[in-house]
Amino acid sequence: MRTLTRVEGYLLVGAGLLGVLVGLAAGVGFRYSERVQHAMPPAPEPALDDGLVRTLAALRSAAVVLDESDEVVRASPPAYALGVVRDGRIPHAAIRDLVRDVRRDGVIRDEELELPRGPVGAARVMLQVRVAHVGPRHVLVLAEDRTEARRLEAIRRDFVVNVSHELKTPVGALALLAETVHAAADDPEAVRRFAGRMQQESARLSALVHEIIELSRLQVAGALTQPALVEIDAVLAEAVDRARTKASGKSIQLHPGGEAGLTVYGDHALLVTAVRNLLDNAVAYSPADTQVGAGVRRVGDMVEIAVVDQGIGIAPEDQERVFERFYRVDPARSRDTGGTGLGLSIVKHVAADHGGEVAVWSRPGKGSTFTLRIPAAHEPPTTQSPRPEEVDA
Ligand code: ADP
């Protein structure tokens, strides 16, 4: 066996040393990498379940998914539109409280909350909010806008209260008059007088019932499901004809006029009712021997029917309110003229159902002009069925 040369000896020692160094470095490196691994933030959130993401996209209500630090991970467009998400968070403390409760005990929460609509202003929204866990880390918040439904309920409740109140008056009067007639059976003159009053009250009662039914029909959404082409000339002629009796009783002359041949899409009978209500009011709130005009014209895309009188007029502060149900500037006068307080409310509904509006101009002591504006009919109604690509676009 050959002995190692000196150079070979050095090399061998060097290699040994290198091995030790590499080993040391590897050990230190491993330790270091282990420590680094521990110091790193937790692995990124597992992505939301695919099915959940697709479900959220399909939802029409506001939907928000929150992570454990209440940051919004995903939100549907209505969530932003409703103000449920602002700057990546839920701004409403009441919703955040529900989220916290759900995190604490895992029980689904479902509550109706009244919340401010935006960061400023007094407008409120009613939201039906449902909060539930989805997966171990995420919480789902669903919010349904109930504002309109609640508003309609309140209107309906008020209406029922008002109607019962309004019905009580003529019914009470009739009962009283019947009693009086009974007691005055021996006095034919008194019987005749009270019987006349009874007739008046029952006429008022029947007008009221009729208008209540009319109004309830109009309040059902989509009362105009099958609009037809309506000739305004015919509407005006019929309304004027029906208002004539009352007008001639007060020597008031009716003057229909304006552009002929205009048409709108809608319901002939409803439009006659609306114009007739305006004419009846013009007659009722005007002194005898005055004139009432009913003019038709086309302004841009709208057909305007204006009813003009030379009557008592309406003070500025009452002009908006006269369209409210049962609002009367002078209740005694309205009652004397057989008014129900529903006429203008019906006009307003008819206008809205036709995609139009009603406006008032008035000056106390001078007269009033009520203008009904309905979109003009453009083209003949199409009977073609939609092309396949237009269906359910
Ligand atoms: P009413 O049955 O009492 O006439 P309406 O809803 O038709 O109910 O009208 C509401 C109120 O508006 C009336 O009571 C009256 O005070 C006022 N009003 C309506 N039309 C006129 C008018 N042409 N001139 C003056 N006041 C009017």
Short mmCIF file of all heavy atoms in Angstrom, two decimals, residues 48-94:
data_model
loop_
_atom_site.label_atom_id
_atom_site.label_comp_id
_atom_site.label_asym_id
_atom_site.label_seq_id
_atom_site.Cartn_x
_atom_site.Cartn_y
_atom_site.Cartn_z
N LEU A 48 -63.55 30.63 -2.36
CA LEU A 48 -64.93 30.27 -2.05
C LEU A 48 -65.36 29.12 -2.95
O LEU A 48 -64.94 29.02 -4.09
CB LEU A 48 -65.83 31.48 -2.33
CG LEU A 48 -65.86 32.56 -1.27
CD1 LEU A 48 -66.86 33.62 -1.68
CD2 LEU A 48 -66.23 31.99 0.09
N ASP A 49 -66.21 28.30 -2.39
CA ASP A 49 -66.72 27.17 -3.13
C ASP A 49 -67.36 27.64 -4.44
O ASP A 49 -68.10 28.63 -4.46
CB ASP A 49 -67.77 26.49 -2.24
CG ASP A 49 -68.41 25.33 -2.94
OD1 ASP A 49 -67.71 24.33 -3.12
OD2 ASP A 49 -69.59 25.47 -3.34
N ASP A 50 -67.06 26.91 -5.51
CA ASP A 50 -67.52 27.30 -6.84
C ASP A 50 -69.04 27.43 -6.92
O ASP A 50 -69.57 28.39 -7.49
CB ASP A 50 -67.05 26.25 -7.84
CG ASP A 50 -66.31 26.90 -8.98
OD1 ASP A 50 -65.80 28.02 -8.77
OD2 ASP A 50 -66.27 26.29 -10.06
N GLY A 51 -69.69 26.45 -6.34
CA GLY A 51 -71.15 26.43 -6.35
C GLY A 51 -71.71 27.66 -5.66
O GLY A 51 -72.64 28.30 -6.14
N LEU A 52 -71.07 28.03 -4.53
CA LEU A 52 -71.53 29.20 -3.77
C LEU A 52 -71.37 30.46 -4.61
O LEU A 52 -72.27 31.30 -4.67
CB LEU A 52 -70.74 29.31 -2.46
CG LEU A 52 -71.04 30.53 -1.61
CD1 LEU A 52 -72.49 30.53 -1.14
CD2 LEU A 52 -70.10 30.62 -0.42
N VAL A 53 -70.21 30.58 -5.27
CA VAL A 53 -69.96 31.76 -6.10
C VAL A 53 -71.02 31.89 -7.17
O VAL A 53 -71.58 32.96 -7.41
CB VAL A 53 -68.54 31.69 -6.72
CG1 VAL A 53 -68.35 32.80 -7.75
CG2 VAL A 53 -67.49 31.77 -5.64
N ARG A 54 -71.35 30.74 -7.80
CA ARG A 54 -72.35 30.79 -8.87
C ARG A 54 -73.73 31.14 -8.30
O ARG A 54 -74.49 31.90 -8.89
CB ARG A 54 -72.40 29.44 -9.60
CG ARG A 54 -71.38 29.38 -10.74
CD ARG A 54 -71.78 28.32 -11.75
NE ARG A 54 -71.75 26.99 -11.15
CZ ARG A 54 -70.67 26.24 -11.08
NH1 ARG A 54 -69.53 26.68 -11.57
NH2 ARG A 54 -70.71 25.05 -10.54
N THR A 55 -74.04 30.59 -7.13
CA THR A 55 -75.34 30.89 -6.51
C THR A 55 -75.44 32.38 -6.20
O THR A 55 -76.46 33.02 -6.46
CB THR A 55 -75.50 30.10 -5.19
OG1 THR A 55 -75.17 28.75 -5.45
CG2 THR A 55 -76.91 30.20 -4.65
N LEU A 56 -74.35 32.94 -5.68
CA LEU A 56 -74.37 34.38 -5.33
C LEU A 56 -74.62 35.22 -6.56
O LEU A 56 -75.38 36.19 -6.52
CB LEU A 56 -73.04 34.78 -4.70
CG LEU A 56 -72.75 34.24 -3.31
CD1 LEU A 56 -71.42 34.77 -2.81
CD2 LEU A 56 -73.86 34.65 -2.35
N ALA A 57 -73.97 34.83 -7.67
CA ALA A 57 -74.12 35.62 -8.91
C ALA A 57 -75.55 35.57 -9.40
O ALA A 57 -76.04 36.52 -10.02
CB ALA A 57 -73.16 35.10 -9.97
N ALA A 58 -76.25 34.46 -9.12
CA ALA A 58 -77.61 34.32 -9.64
C ALA A 58 -78.65 34.99 -8.74
O ALA A 58 -79.77 35.24 -9.15
CB ALA A 58 -77.95 32.84 -9.79
N LEU A 59 -78.26 35.30 -7.50
CA LEU A 59 -79.24 35.86 -6.56
C LEU A 59 -79.65 37.27 -6.95
O LEU A 59 -78.81 38.07 -7.35
CB LEU A 59 -78.63 35.90 -5.15
CG LEU A 59 -78.66 34.60 -4.36
CD1 LEU A 59 -77.99 34.82 -3.03
CD2 LEU A 59 -80.09 34.13 -4.17
N ARG A 60 -80.96 37.54 -6.78
CA ARG A 60 -81.41 38.89 -7.10
C ARG A 60 -81.30 39.80 -5.87
O ARG A 60 -81.23 41.00 -5.99
CB ARG A 60 -82.85 38.85 -7.59
CG ARG A 60 -82.90 39.38 -9.01
CD ARG A 60 -84.27 39.71 -9.43
NE ARG A 60 -84.86 38.62 -10.18
CZ ARG A 60 -86.16 38.52 -10.35
NH1 ARG A 60 -86.96 39.39 -9.82
NH2 ARG A 60 -86.66 37.54 -11.06
N SER A 61 -81.29 39.19 -4.71
CA SER A 61 -81.19 40.00 -3.51
C SER A 61 -79.72 40.33 -3.21
O SER A 61 -78.82 39.78 -3.83
CB SER A 61 -81.81 39.26 -2.32
OG SER A 61 -81.29 37.98 -2.27
N ALA A 62 -79.54 41.24 -2.27
CA ALA A 62 -78.18 41.62 -1.90
C ALA A 62 -77.56 40.46 -1.12
O ALA A 62 -78.16 39.96 -0.18
CB ALA A 62 -78.24 42.87 -1.04
N ALA A 63 -76.38 40.03 -1.55
CA ALA A 63 -75.70 38.93 -0.86
C ALA A 63 -74.25 39.32 -0.62
O ALA A 63 -73.59 39.85 -1.51
CB ALA A 63 -75.77 37.67 -1.70
N VAL A 64 -73.78 39.09 0.61
CA VAL A 64 -72.41 39.47 0.96
C VAL A 64 -71.77 38.31 1.71
O VAL A 64 -72.39 37.74 2.61
CB VAL A 64 -72.40 40.71 1.89
CG1 VAL A 64 -70.97 41.17 2.13
CG2 VAL A 64 -73.23 41.83 1.32
N VAL A 65 -70.52 37.96 1.32
CA VAL A 65 -69.79 36.96 2.08
C VAL A 65 -68.67 37.68 2.82
O VAL A 65 -67.90 38.44 2.23
CB VAL A 65 -69.21 35.86 1.15
CG1 VAL A 65 -68.41 34.86 1.98
CG2 VAL A 65 -70.32 35.17 0.40
N LEU A 66 -68.59 37.42 4.15
CA LEU A 66 -67.57 38.08 4.97
C LEU A 66 -66.56 37.05 5.45
O LEU A 66 -66.93 35.89 5.72
CB LEU A 66 -68.23 38.72 6.19
CG LEU A 66 -69.29 39.78 5.95
CD1 LEU A 66 -69.95 40.16 7.27
CD2 LEU A 66 -68.67 41.02 5.30
N ASP A 67 -65.29 37.48 5.58
CA ASP A 67 -64.32 36.58 6.18
C ASP A 67 -64.30 36.79 7.69
O ASP A 67 -65.11 37.55 8.23
CB ASP A 67 -62.94 36.78 5.53
CG ASP A 67 -62.37 38.16 5.83
OD1 ASP A 67 -62.93 38.86 6.69
OD2 ASP A 67 -61.36 38.53 5.20
N GLU A 68 -63.33 36.14 8.37
CA GLU A 68 -63.38 36.20 9.84
C GLU A 68 -63.15 37.60 10.40
O GLU A 68 -63.52 37.88 11.53
CB GLU A 68 -62.37 35.32 10.52
CG GLU A 68 -61.84 34.29 10.00
CD GLU A 68 -60.79 33.47 9.66
OE1 GLU A 68 -60.04 33.91 8.77
OE2 GLU A 68 -60.69 32.40 10.23
N SER A 69 -62.50 38.46 9.58
CA SER A 69 -62.31 39.82 10.12
C SER A 69 -63.35 40.78 9.55
O SER A 69 -63.13 41.98 9.47
CB SER A 69 -60.89 40.30 9.82
OG SER A 69 -60.61 40.06 8.46
N ASP A 70 -64.48 40.23 9.14
CA ASP A 70 -65.61 41.02 8.62
C ASP A 70 -65.28 41.80 7.36
O ASP A 70 -65.95 42.80 7.05
CB ASP A 70 -66.17 41.96 9.71
CG ASP A 70 -67.05 41.21 10.68
OD1 ASP A 70 -67.28 40.00 10.44
OD2 ASP A 70 -67.49 41.81 11.67
N GLU A 71 -64.23 41.39 6.67
CA GLU A 71 -63.95 42.02 5.37
C GLU A 71 -64.84 41.34 4.33
O GLU A 71 -65.08 40.13 4.41
CB GLU A 71 -62.48 41.78 4.97
CG GLU A 71 -61.47 42.46 5.86
CD GLU A 71 -61.31 43.94 5.55
OE1 GLU A 71 -61.76 44.36 4.47
OE2 GLU A 71 -60.77 44.65 6.41
N VAL A 72 -65.30 42.13 3.35
CA VAL A 72 -66.16 41.56 2.31
C VAL A 72 -65.31 40.76 1.33
O VAL A 72 -64.39 41.30 0.71
CB VAL A 72 -66.93 42.68 1.58
CG1 VAL A 72 -67.69 42.12 0.39
CG2 VAL A 72 -67.88 43.38 2.54
N VAL A 73 -65.59 39.48 1.21
CA VAL A 73 -64.87 38.63 0.27
C VAL A 73 -65.55 38.66 -1.09
O VAL A 73 -64.93 38.66 -2.13
CB VAL A 73 -64.85 37.16 0.79
CG1 VAL A 73 -64.08 36.26 -0.17
CG2 VAL A 73 -64.29 37.10 2.18
N ARG A 74 -66.87 38.71 -1.04
CA ARG A 74 -67.64 38.75 -2.29
C ARG A 74 -69.00 39.37 -2.01
O ARG A 74 -69.56 39.17 -0.93
CB ARG A 74 -67.83 37.32 -2.80
CG ARG A 74 -68.30 37.24 -4.23
CD ARG A 74 -68.13 35.84 -4.73
NE ARG A 74 -66.78 35.61 -5.24
CZ ARG A 74 -66.43 35.79 -6.51
NH1 ARG A 74 -67.32 36.21 -7.38
NH2 ARG A 74 -65.21 35.56 -6.91
N ALA A 75 -69.50 40.16 -2.97
CA ALA A 75 -70.82 40.79 -2.79
C ALA A 75 -71.51 40.88 -4.13
O ALA A 75 -70.86 41.10 -5.16
CB ALA A 75 -70.67 42.17 -2.17
N SER A 76 -72.82 40.71 -4.13
CA SER A 76 -73.58 40.81 -5.38
C SER A 76 -73.84 42.29 -5.67
O SER A 76 -73.87 43.10 -4.75
CB SER A 76 -74.90 40.06 -5.24
OG SER A 76 -75.70 40.70 -4.28
N PRO A 77 -74.05 42.65 -6.95
CA PRO A 77 -74.28 44.07 -7.28
C PRO A 77 -75.39 44.73 -6.45
O PRO A 77 -75.21 45.87 -6.00
CB PRO A 77 -74.61 44.04 -8.77
CG PRO A 77 -73.95 42.80 -9.28
CD PRO A 77 -73.99 41.81 -8.16
N PRO A 78 -76.53 44.05 -6.20
CA PRO A 78 -77.56 44.73 -5.38
C PRO A 78 -77.07 45.10 -3.98
O PRO A 78 -77.60 46.02 -3.37
CB PRO A 78 -78.69 43.70 -5.30
CG PRO A 78 -78.49 42.80 -6.46
CD PRO A 78 -77.02 42.74 -6.69
N ALA A 79 -76.06 44.37 -3.47
CA ALA A 79 -75.54 44.69 -2.14
C ALA A 79 -74.93 46.09 -2.12
O ALA A 79 -75.07 46.84 -1.16
CB ALA A 79 -74.51 43.66 -1.71
N TYR A 80 -74.28 46.45 -3.23
CA TYR A 80 -73.70 47.81 -3.33
C TYR A 80 -74.83 48.82 -3.55
O TYR A 80 -74.86 49.89 -2.95
CB TYR A 80 -72.71 47.88 -4.49
CG TYR A 80 -71.48 47.04 -4.26
CD1 TYR A 80 -71.39 45.74 -4.72
CD2 TYR A 80 -70.40 47.56 -3.53
CE1 TYR A 80 -70.27 44.96 -4.49
CE2 TYR A 80 -69.27 46.79 -3.30
CZ TYR A 80 -69.20 45.49 -3.78
OH TYR A 80 -68.10 44.74 -3.53
N ALA A 81 -75.77 48.44 -4.44
CA ALA A 81 -76.86 49.36 -4.78
C ALA A 81 -77.68 49.71 -3.54
O ALA A 81 -78.13 50.84 -3.38
CB ALA A 81 -77.75 48.74 -5.85
N LEU A 82 -77.87 48.74 -2.66
CA LEU A 82 -78.68 48.96 -1.46
C LEU A 82 -77.89 49.60 -0.32
O LEU A 82 -78.44 49.92 0.71
CB LEU A 82 -79.21 47.61 -0.95
CG LEU A 82 -80.61 47.21 -1.37
CD1 LEU A 82 -80.97 45.88 -0.73
CD2 LEU A 82 -81.63 48.26 -0.95
N GLY A 83 -76.58 49.74 -0.53
CA GLY A 83 -75.74 50.34 0.52
C GLY A 83 -75.40 49.35 1.62
O GLY A 83 -75.00 49.75 2.72
N VAL A 84 -75.56 48.04 1.35
CA VAL A 84 -75.22 47.04 2.37
C VAL A 84 -73.69 46.90 2.45
O VAL A 84 -73.14 46.54 3.50
CB VAL A 84 -75.88 45.68 2.04
CG1 VAL A 84 -75.46 44.60 3.03
CG2 VAL A 84 -77.40 45.83 2.06
N VAL A 85 -73.01 47.21 1.33
CA VAL A 85 -71.55 47.21 1.33
C VAL A 85 -71.06 48.59 0.94
O VAL A 85 -71.55 49.18 -0.03
CB VAL A 85 -71.00 46.19 0.30
CG1 VAL A 85 -69.49 46.31 0.21
CG2 VAL A 85 -71.39 44.78 0.67
N ARG A 86 -70.16 49.11 1.75
CA ARG A 86 -69.54 50.40 1.42
C ARG A 86 -68.07 50.33 1.80
O ARG A 86 -67.76 49.89 2.92
CB ARG A 86 -70.26 51.53 2.16
CG ARG A 86 -70.43 52.77 1.31
CD ARG A 86 -71.22 53.84 2.03
NE ARG A 86 -72.62 53.48 2.17
CZ ARG A 86 -73.33 53.70 3.28
NH1 ARG A 86 -72.79 54.25 4.32
NH2 ARG A 86 -74.60 53.37 3.33
N ASP A 87 -67.19 50.69 0.91
CA ASP A 87 -65.74 50.65 1.16
C ASP A 87 -65.27 49.29 1.68
O ASP A 87 -64.50 49.20 2.64
CB ASP A 87 -65.33 51.73 2.18
CG ASP A 87 -65.68 53.11 1.68
OD1 ASP A 87 -65.62 53.31 0.44
OD2 ASP A 87 -66.02 53.98 2.50
N GLY A 88 -65.79 48.22 1.08
CA GLY A 88 -65.32 46.88 1.41
C GLY A 88 -65.82 46.36 2.74
O GLY A 88 -65.36 45.30 3.21
N ARG A 89 -66.74 47.06 3.37
CA ARG A 89 -67.27 46.60 4.67
C ARG A 89 -68.78 46.81 4.71
O ARG A 89 -69.35 47.48 3.85
CB ARG A 89 -66.63 47.39 5.82
CG ARG A 89 -65.14 47.20 5.95
CD ARG A 89 -64.63 47.88 7.19
NE ARG A 89 -64.96 47.14 8.41
CZ ARG A 89 -64.25 46.10 8.84
NH1 ARG A 89 -63.22 45.66 8.16
NH2 ARG A 89 -64.59 45.49 9.95
N ILE A 90 -69.39 46.24 5.75
CA ILE A 90 -70.82 46.49 5.95
C ILE A 90 -70.94 47.70 6.89
O ILE A 90 -70.45 47.64 8.03
CB ILE A 90 -71.51 45.25 6.56
CG1 ILE A 90 -71.53 44.14 5.50
CG2 ILE A 90 -72.91 45.59 7.04
CD1 ILE A 90 -72.31 42.92 5.88
N PRO A 91 -71.53 48.80 6.42
CA PRO A 91 -71.51 50.01 7.24
C PRO A 91 -72.51 49.99 8.41
O PRO A 91 -72.39 50.80 9.32
CB PRO A 91 -71.88 51.12 6.25
CG PRO A 91 -72.66 50.43 5.18
CD PRO A 91 -72.18 49.02 5.12
N HIS A 92 -73.50 49.08 8.36
CA HIS A 92 -74.57 49.12 9.38
C HIS A 92 -74.19 48.29 10.61
O HIS A 92 -74.02 47.07 10.51
CB HIS A 92 -75.88 48.60 8.80
CG HIS A 92 -76.29 49.29 7.55
ND1 HIS A 92 -76.62 50.63 7.52
CD2 HIS A 92 -76.41 48.85 6.28
CE1 HIS A 92 -76.93 50.97 6.29
NE2 HIS A 92 -76.81 49.91 5.51
N ALA A 93 -74.14 48.96 11.76
CA ALA A 93 -73.77 48.27 13.01
C ALA A 93 -74.77 47.16 13.31
O ALA A 93 -74.40 46.09 13.81
CB ALA A 93 -73.73 49.28 14.15
N ALA A 94 -76.06 47.39 12.98
CA ALA A 94 -77.09 46.39 13.31
C ALA A 94 -76.83 45.08 12.57
O ALA A 94 -77.02 43.99 13.13
CB ALA A 94 -78.47 46.94 12.95
#
